[in-house]
Amino acid sequence: MSDPDISVVICVYTEDRWEDILAAVSSVRAQSYPALETLLVVDHNPALLERLTEEYKEATGVRVLANAGPRGLSAGRNTGIAASYGEVIAFLDDDAVAERDWLRRFAEGYADPEVMAVGGRTLPIWASGRRPDWFPEEFDWVVGCTYRGLPAGRVRVRNVLGGNASFRRTAFDAAGGFATGIGRDGDKRPLGCEETELCIRLTRARPDAVLIIDDRAVIHHRVPEVREHFGYFRTRAYAEGLSKALVARSVGAGKGLESERRYTTRVLPAGVARGLRDALLSRPGGAGRAGAIVAGVLTAAGGYVVGSVRARRGGAAFAVARIEEGSHG
């Protein structure tokens, strides 16, 4: 499958991102490797569903759908997968724009028949116009972006990152869809890791599966002003710990925390040392970055402990959706 048909799924939930949604769709329609279709999946928001349906009623290749499952990002993605026609399904955040060769880079990855998922590189667009001095690049995952410590180039990985990712349709046939109960639900607590859990489940179902990231598949992700503050940083780190506990319960701590061990023992200590060195050299934000890394690790660890206790007590659960064949829209 050297030239796969690619369906693009964009999950949306609020009219507050109206201009961002239009920009995301426009970036898909401007691709050098044309998408087969773009599916906008609206998460339990009738007004937004109606408005988008009207906006794209005469647009070729754009379909607007209602989330057919429970509220949240995972069920929205599963709705898009089930309704799509492409051999490959790509996912783009509703507040991001893709560079012109985004889908071309994805398509190139699937020339290898063992490749089941291809992800890309996500760069932040800071609302203030620049990265806050205290915000460490090692924690850019907090704002949904590629973080320092990920290898460069086209490389094999344990998991792709959900807002800039693609999968063969057969991956969902083998492993099922995204698990509900892990990922985001609108503006509630910013949980995540649903793509991590899916990727680990996929490689268990298909041990020969190869998952890669090609850092030439670039999108630009908007970071709103509220997420530039330490309060959000801390909340997101805690939520990541909660999510990682669910993943570890699902797939085991060995696989569920494999990448995190390297990140915690190698990448983050180097980041702290770099921040302290910058502080000694009187460079802006050095001490703040070192402190933020330490605070982020401790907060995420606290979330993991709390999440693990809840999971053992049965207070946290999630469900893996099967993608029904023949349910294309």
Side-chain angles (χ1 to χ4, degrees):
M1 188 171 68
S2 58
D3 295 307
D5 288 333
I6 304 179
S7 298
V8 177
V9 174
I10 303 174
C11 294
V12 304
Y13 71 97
T14 175
E15 290 184 86
D16 293 343
R17 291 187 177 178
W18 179 256
E19 295 299 329
D20 291 337
I21 295 168
L22 300 187
V25 174
S26 293
S27 76
V28 174
R29 301 182 80 187
Q31 290 293 299
S32 63
Y33 184 102
L36 175 67
E37 58 186 348
T38 302
L39 289 82
L40 288 167
V41 183
V42 183
D43 192 18
H44 298 267
N45 185 331
L48 179 58
L49 179 68
E50 181 178 354
R51 190 177 177 188
L52 284 170
T53 299
E54 178 66 22
E55 178 73 22
Y56 291 108
K57 66 181 180 181
E58 297 180 3
T60 302
V62 179
R63 284 192 283 149
V64 180
L65 312 168
N67 179 0
R71 187 183 299 274
L73 181 57
S74 291
R77 286 175 174 164
N78 292 338
T79 297
I81 296 164
S84 64
Y85 291 101
E87 300 159 87
V88 168
I89 299 98
F91 300 94
L92 179 66
D93 277 344
D94 65 345
D95 52 356
V97 291
E99 290 192 0
R100 181 169 166 76
D101 289 333
W102 178 59
L103 291 182
R104 183 175 300 282
R105 301 308 183 190
F106 281 175
E108 290 171 355
Y110 292 106
D112 180 347
E114 292 188 344
V115 170
M116 298 295 284
V118 183
R121 180 160 53 114
T122 302
L123 302 176
I125 305 172
W126 301 96
S128 62
R130 61 187 293 274
R131 172 187 297 275
D133 287 340
W134 63 269
F135 202 114
E137 291 181 27
E138 291 82 359
F139 272 78
D140 276 7
W141 56 263
V142 163
V143 291
C145 294
T146 300
Y147 55 90
R148 186 172 193 151
L150 283 177
R154 184 193 281 187
V155 293
R156 189 167 181 172
V157 293
R158 179 195 66 181
N159 62 276
V160 295
L161 304 178
N164 180 7
S166 64
F167 295 84
R168 288 192 197 271
R169 179 174 299 282
T170 51
F172 302 111
D173 296 337
F178 289 92
T180 57
I182 297 182
R184 291 204 178 226
D185 175 1
D187 289 316
K188 294 183 180 178
R189 175 171 282 161
L191 300 172
C193 295
E194 67 276 11
E195 65 275 2
T196 301
E197 193 274 340
L198 170 63
C199 290
I200 295 172
R201 191 166 13 100
L202 171 60
T203 52
R204 286 189 166 180
R206 289 281 304 271
D208 60 334
V210 174
L211 288 67
I212 65 173
I213 285 180
D214 186 336
D215 66 7
R216 298 171 302 167
V218 178
I219 70 169
H220 299 264
H221 184 266
R222 189 175 298 280
V223 180
E225 193 270 340
V226 68
R227 296 185 183 182
E228 294 187 6
H229 298 289
F230 185 70
Y232 179 83
F233 179 92
R234 187 176 53 205
T235 299
R236 178 69 185 91
Y238 181 77
E240 184 75 1
L242 293 175
S243 300
K244 282 289 190 294
L246 280 174
V247 172
R249 180 172 174 80
S250 170
V251 300
K255 197 68 177 176
L257 299 177
E258 181 180 56
S259 297
E260 288 72 16
R261 289 191 181 93
R262 176 189 170 277
Y263 172 74
T264 304
T265 58
R266 297 183 187 179
V267 175
L268 295 185
V272 171
R274 199 160 34 246
L276 293 176
R277 182 194 64 203
D278 287 348
L280 289 172
L281 295 173
S282 300
R283 293 172 180 165
R289 288 192 296 275
I293 291 173
V294 173
V297 170
L298 294 176
T299 305
Y304 183 82
V305 170
V306 171
S308 298
V309 170
R310 288 180 183 172
R312 282 198 298 271
R313 292 176 177 173
F318 60 93
V320 175
R322 301 303 303 183
I323 304 299
E324 297 295 331
E325 293 185 15
S327 57
H328 307 295

